[in-house]
């Protein structure tokens, strides 16, 4: 074991012993960034820590692109007399499919697995894009085209349990702990999730077409759980339309994991935050609360 690995193992041992330090979690992410063994959330959070200023690729940015594609036809249907065009509807079918869970795919396709359903949907979309020359749809193709093209499917890019499980998997695969020791990390679970919230909070994203936004932490949802949302604005409409979309959903109740000064500020937060102990606190003086712009329309996806 190299000295680098020894240092990481010592930090991991400290977490497993109950000595919880946010810096140890951060160093483990950075130290294993290039050895994530395909675990998406681990690589994504390590990349956020390495490039906190701007993100233009990765699962979170991809999810924001898909959410924009899925949502735009609803705006056009509401504001434009002609409604969305066929290309927008078909693009939404593709983005909805990418965001759907395996369970959602099975339910909306009549029990098909993801691979088979993808093939059927691809065939349906190809025919529809060709118009009259594309041929008629089979019953299954019509079912999938309708179910994925005429609804909004949304899932966060990351979830708390996924983050925790991926972290343990990477530690085991890199030989820093054994599978039998996995339970020893349970006490550090909340700290790992809070770390994920802080590395995502404040990061800007760019979609590659001049449109972007900022990720912000908070707990402004019906469950009162900590989350990280993306604030994305759609342009070209009579009003500015802002989409608040949860990109990282946690099961941590905010009341148990924030300092007193944040109790009346559900967010999304427009100030820097840090971890102290196992709670989130603002860094520096809090900014004045922002008033809602009555000239804009905001749509929340909790």
């Amino acid at each position: 074991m190299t000295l680098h690995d020894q240092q990481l193992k010592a930090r991991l041992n400290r977490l497993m012993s109950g000595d919880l330090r946010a810096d140890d979690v951060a160093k483990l992410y950075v130290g294993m960034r290039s050895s994530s063994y395909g675990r998406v959330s681990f690589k994504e959070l390590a990349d956020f820590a390495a490039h906190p200023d701007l993100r233009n690729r990765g699962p979170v940015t991809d999810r924001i692109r898909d959410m924009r594609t899925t949502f735009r036809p609803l705006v056009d249907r509401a504001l434009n007399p002609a409604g969305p065009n066929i290309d927008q509807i078909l693009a939404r079918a593709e983005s909805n499919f990418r965001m759907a869970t395996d369970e959602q795919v099975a339910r909306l396709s009549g029990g098909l697995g993801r691979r088979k359903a993808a093939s059927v949907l691809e065939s349906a979309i190809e025919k529809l894009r060709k118009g009259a020359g594309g041929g008629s749809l089979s019953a299954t193709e019509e079912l999938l085209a309708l179910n994925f093209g005429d609804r909004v499917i949304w899932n966060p890019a990351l979830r708390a349990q996924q983050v925790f499980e991926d972290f343990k998997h990477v530690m085991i695969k890199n030989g820093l702990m054994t599978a039998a020791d996995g339970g020893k990390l349970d006490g550090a679970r909340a700290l790992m999730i809070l770390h994920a919230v802080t590395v995502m909070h404040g990061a800007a994203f760019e979609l590659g077409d001049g449109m972007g936004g900022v990720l912000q932490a908070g707990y402004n949802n019906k469950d009162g759980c900590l989350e990280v949302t993306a604030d994305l604005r759609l342009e070209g409409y009579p009003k500015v339309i802002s989409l608040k979309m949860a990109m990282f959903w946690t099961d941590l109740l905010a009341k148990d994991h924030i300092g007193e000064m944040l109790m009346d500020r559900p967010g999304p937060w427009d100030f820097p935050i840090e971890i102290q102990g196992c709670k989130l606190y603002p860094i520096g003086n809090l900014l004045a609360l922002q008033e809602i712009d009555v000239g804009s329309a905001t749509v929340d996806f909790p």
Side-chain angles (χ1 to χ4, degrees):
M1 182 175 287
T2 66
L3 181 58
H4 170 74
D5 289 339
Q6 291 179 43
Q7 292 173 337
L8 294 179
K9 184 174 177 58
R11 291 181 181 276
L12 185 63
N13 286 340
R14 192 153 57 188
L15 289 172
M16 290 192 293
S17 73
D19 185 356
L20 305 181
R21 308 185 191 191
D23 186 58
D24 286 345
V25 178
K27 288 295 197 299
L28 285 161
Y29 268 101
V30 174
M32 293 289 102
R33 181 185 175 205
S34 61
S35 303
S36 58
Y37 286 90
R39 292 300 169 123
V40 172
S41 76
F42 191 96
K43 178 65 163 55
E44 180 76 335
L45 291 172
D47 285 347
F48 264 102
H51 304 287
D53 52 342
L54 180 65
R55 299 288 298 151
N56 55 21
R57 60 183 178 179
V60 170
T61 308
D62 289 343
R63 183 55 51 90
I64 295 170
R65 288 192 184 96
D66 279 337
M67 196 63 231
R68 180 182 65 171
T69 299
T70 286
F71 181 76
R72 189 181 289 277
L74 293 181
V75 180
D76 288 341
R77 181 176 295 170
L79 299 180
N80 296 338
N85 59 49
I86 185 62
D87 288 333
Q88 289 178 313
I89 297 298
L90 296 181
R92 178 165 70 179
E94 293 172 324
S95 63
N96 274 336
F97 187 85
R98 285 191 294 267
M99 290 190 288
T101 64
D102 290 345
E103 291 76 15
Q104 288 171 323
V105 168
R107 176 167 51 84
L108 295 175
S109 65
L112 298 181
R114 179 175 287 274
R115 182 175 298 181
K116 178 60 177 178
S119 177
V120 173
L121 181 61
E122 181 181 356
S123 175
I125 290 174
E126 183 178 357
K127 289 179 180 179
L128 289 169
R129 283 192 171 130
K130 289 180 179 179
S136 59
L137 300 181
S138 69
T140 305
E141 288 172 340
E142 184 176 353
L143 174 69
L144 266 68
L146 179 63
N147 281 350
F148 286 99
D150 195 32
R151 69 180 63 224
V152 172
I153 295 176
W154 168 85
N155 289 295
L158 302 176
R159 293 182 182 271
Q161 189 60 22
Q162 171 197 4
V163 166
F164 182 54
E165 294 296 337
D166 283 357
F167 182 92
K168 289 197 295 185
H169 180 85
V170 172
M171 297 302 108
I172 293 169
K173 293 293 289 185
N174 282 284
L176 299 183
M177 62 182 284
T178 66
D181 287 334
K184 296 180 180 179
L185 271 179
D186 290 350
R189 181 181 185 274
L191 180 65
M192 292 176 191
I193 296 168
L194 292 177
H195 168 265
V197 169
T198 59
V199 297
M200 293 178 69
H201 176 67
F205 59 87
E206 169 57 53
L207 301 186
D209 55 6
M211 190 173 292
V214 178
L215 298 175
Q216 294 173 284
Y219 57 97
N220 191 9
N221 55 71
K222 63 182 178 62
D223 299 307
C225 290
L226 290 168
E227 62 179 343
V228 178
T229 59
D231 183 17
L232 175 66
R233 298 200 167 194
L234 297 182
E235 301 174 348
Y237 297 99
K239 289 185 176 183
V240 174
I241 299 174
S242 178
L243 282 73
K244 184 177 80 72
M245 308 169 292
M247 290 294 108
F248 178 40
W249 176 254
T250 86
D251 51 11
L252 297 186
L253 290 173
K255 65 182 180 66
D256 298 328
H257 295 284
I258 59 174
E260 288 185 9
M261 60 286 297
L262 297 181
M263 289 294 182
D264 62 346
R265 291 174 178 257
W269 297 325
D270 57 357
F271 46 82
I273 57 174
E274 65 180 353
I275 301 172
Q276 295 180 21
C278 206
K279 292 187 177 183
L280 297 178
Y281 289 84
I283 302 175
N285 296 325
L286 288 175
L287 301 176
L289 292 172
Q290 299 275 332
E291 292 187 3
I292 297 176
D293 182 3
V294 295
S296 67
T298 301
V299 179
D300 292 347
F301 288 85

